[in-house]
Amino acid sequence: MELTYDVFNPASTAGRVLVVTPSLGGDATHQWTSVAEALEGQARVIFIDLPGQGHAAPWDDADEPTMQVLASGIADALRRVRADHGDLPMFFAGLSISGAIALHLAIEHPEDLSGVAVLCSAATVGEPDRWLERAAQVEESGTQQLVEETEKRWFTTNFRAQQRGAVDTIMEGLAASDDHSYAQLCRTLATHDVRAEMGDIRLPLLVLAGGRDSSTPIENVELVAETVPGAELHVLAEAAHQVTVASPGDVATLLLNFMQRAEQPYRKEQADD
């Protein structure tokens, strides 16, 4: 799997790199730009879209739809980012399905990162049979049918009323997703269960949850924070699933504080050299 990436702030000389990826049916530019703007002088922000979403090519059926394959594709992209930007502290932040990817990166590819942030995700997400059912449903009828119900889960009633334009932009991304790619991503989520491996994670880990998020039960999020050694959990009380859209300033502040703490061992190592 070969994933391309876009640099949000190519002129930045910031001393750290933050790679961000979106939710299932999401566009990284739509979901992460407000956070990236708040971090513009603090990190070189890299957007990666998942297959068939945003600007990414559709899913290549030579790739098996598993979370391990998806995480490996992201890890390959991270190495290309490092080759282009040099040996800087690199962090990964993923929303929803991409938060699941973040956990797989921490377990399977820890050498590529200085820390990961898991946003509105957990060690398991939903039930495998339900993801397989959704995959079949989308293959038959497309993603447009999902928009109305998904909007209610992704945003609170107040946010939908007050920020109609932002909501419409996000939902247009879901409707525009490549149907087969979306279905394959659903099938990858059916393979996602890292509960047995979380205790082995040693990378710094930040967990962010929306207090109004009905898609990711808070007890599942808390399990990650309680199981991964040293993990920190923050709940954005008034946000639903799309925390990067509903509370971008809070997300940016929490990410920056996390990156500054997590990179201290890296800075000390560089000074010692």
Side-chain angles (χ1 to χ4, degrees):
M1 176 178 292
E2 184 169 345
L3 298 170
T4 59
Y5 66 86
D6 296 308
V7 184
F8 170 75
N9 49 345
S12 175
T13 58
R16 64 177 66 90
V17 175
L18 174 64
V19 179
V20 300
T21 54
S23 68
L24 177 64
D27 180 313
T29 300
H30 296 161
Q31 293 182 345
W32 280 98
T33 289
S34 293
V35 176
E37 287 174 344
L39 291 171
E40 188 163 2
Q42 301 291 338
R44 307 181 192 191
V45 183
I46 310 293
F47 293 163
I48 297 180
D49 282 314
L50 302 180
Q53 303 187 160
H55 302 293
W59 187 284
D60 183 345
D61 281 337
D63 295 315
E64 185 180 2
T66 69
M67 194 60 70
Q68 288 77 14
V69 167
L70 193 54
S72 179
I74 293 286
D76 287 343
L78 294 176
R79 293 175 195 124
R80 295 198 302 274
V81 170
R82 186 175 297 283
D84 288 343
H85 289 269
D87 188 22
L88 299 173
M90 183 181 296
F91 297 87
F92 178 87
L95 174 65
S96 191
I97 184 176
S98 293
I101 294 171
L103 289 171
H104 281 267
L105 290 172
I107 294 164
E108 298 154 21
H109 305 279
E111 68 282 357
D112 294 314
L113 291 160
S114 297
V116 298
V118 176
L119 284 69
C120 298
S121 195
T124 58
V125 178
E127 298 295 330
D129 288 348
R130 295 292 298 275
W131 287 118
L132 297 177
E133 289 171 9
R134 187 187 292 189
Q137 177 187 10
V138 168
E139 295 273 26
E140 180 178 347
S141 304
T143 58
Q144 179 66 47
Q145 62 176 310
L146 304 175
V147 169
E148 183 177 354
E149 183 59 34
T150 301
E151 180 183 308
K152 297 174 184 177
R153 290 187 287 104
W154 278 6
F155 299 102
T156 65
T157 301
N158 285 344
F159 190 87
R160 289 160 57 203
Q162 296 170 9
Q163 301 289 336
R164 190 67 247 172
V167 172
D168 287 345
T169 296
I170 299 301
M171 303 321 299
E172 287 166 7
L174 172 59
S177 294
D178 175 70
D179 295 337
H180 179 60
S181 300
Y182 184 99
Q184 291 292 73
L185 290 168
C186 289
R187 294 179 180 111
T188 71
L189 279 168
T191 72
H192 172 56
D193 185 347
V194 294
R195 286 173 292 183
E197 293 84 17
M198 283 195 301
D200 297 329
I201 293 175
R202 293 297 179 266
L203 270 182
L205 184 75
L206 173 67
V207 185
L208 301 184
R212 307 281 296 279
D213 183 5
S214 62
S215 296
T216 312
I218 190 64
E219 58 268 22
N220 292 1
V221 179
E222 290 171 340
L223 177 65
V224 176
E226 292 165 359
T227 307
V228 176
E232 57 178 285
L233 169 64
H234 296 273
V235 179
L236 302 174
E238 296 305 315
H241 195 59
Q242 291 286 330
V243 293
T244 59
V245 180
S247 301
D250 292 330
V251 171
T253 297
L254 290 166
L255 282 171
L256 178 58
N257 291 342
F258 168 69
M259 291 188 291
Q260 289 173 335
R261 288 192 297 272
E263 69 189 17
Q264 288 175 4
Y266 174 92
R267 299 297 186 195
K268 182 179 185 302
E269 179 181 322
Q270 294 298 101
D272 290 344
D273 288 347

